[in-house]
Amino acid sequence: KDVRSQFWETYEVVAEEVDSEFLERYNGDIDIIPTFAGLFSAVTTSFIIASQPNPGDTTNALLIQLILLAANGTSAPQSITLPQPAGYSSSNVWAQSLAYASLLLSLFAAFGAILGKQW
């Protein structure tokens, strides 16, 4: 064997070792990312849901109107007065925008990890 072929054989062995260590290390890291992204997404979603206005007030007002309509028979219902939703402050809009953005980014991170794992 000449020196050149011996060099490439040695290079192939060393490159295979380095590549297998690299893939093993990053494969383990990629397994963890969807787990943490999923947990973060669940927590972020719970904060988003908690910051939404309560639709129960509107539902209760509409149910009262239905009860009154049923109690009065076919007579015309009274005027419906639904509670007016309170306006959102700019800080509330910013907080919700950041919450939705963080949810979107964590879902993209999980999606990217799954794509990387499958690749």
Side-chain angles (χ1 to χ4, degrees):
K1 291 184 176 181
D2 63 348
V3 175
R4 193 172 258 178
S5 65
Q6 188 177 9
F7 169 78
W8 287 113
E9 287 175 9
T10 306
Y11 173 79
E12 185 178 2
V13 170
V14 172
E16 183 65 33
E17 288 176 10
V18 170
D19 286 346
S20 65
E21 289 175 10
F22 175 82
L23 287 175
E24 185 177 320
R25 184 174 62 239
Y26 284 104
N27 201 12
D29 291 346
I30 287 176
D31 286 340
I32 295 171
I33 291 173
T35 303
F36 285 114
L39 290 172
F40 182 77
S41 297
V43 171
T44 304
T45 302
S46 67
F47 282 123
I48 289 172
I49 290 172
S51 67
Q52 298 298 317
N54 185 8
D57 298 335
T58 304
T59 303
N60 290 339
L62 290 172
L63 284 174
I64 289 172
Q65 290 298 320
L66 286 173
I67 291 170
L68 289 175
L69 182 63
N72 292 337
T74 59
S75 64
Q78 300 170 356
S79 64
I80 298 175
T81 56
L82 296 177
Q84 295 297 321
Y88 293 109
S89 65
S90 62
S91 62
N92 194 7
V93 170
W94 271 104
Q96 284 204 1
S97 298
L98 290 175
Y100 278 109
S102 66
L103 177 63
L104 182 69
L105 290 175
S106 72
L107 291 175
F108 275 141
F111 180 66
I114 289 172
L115 285 180
K117 182 81 174 163
Q118 302 228 342
W119 181 42

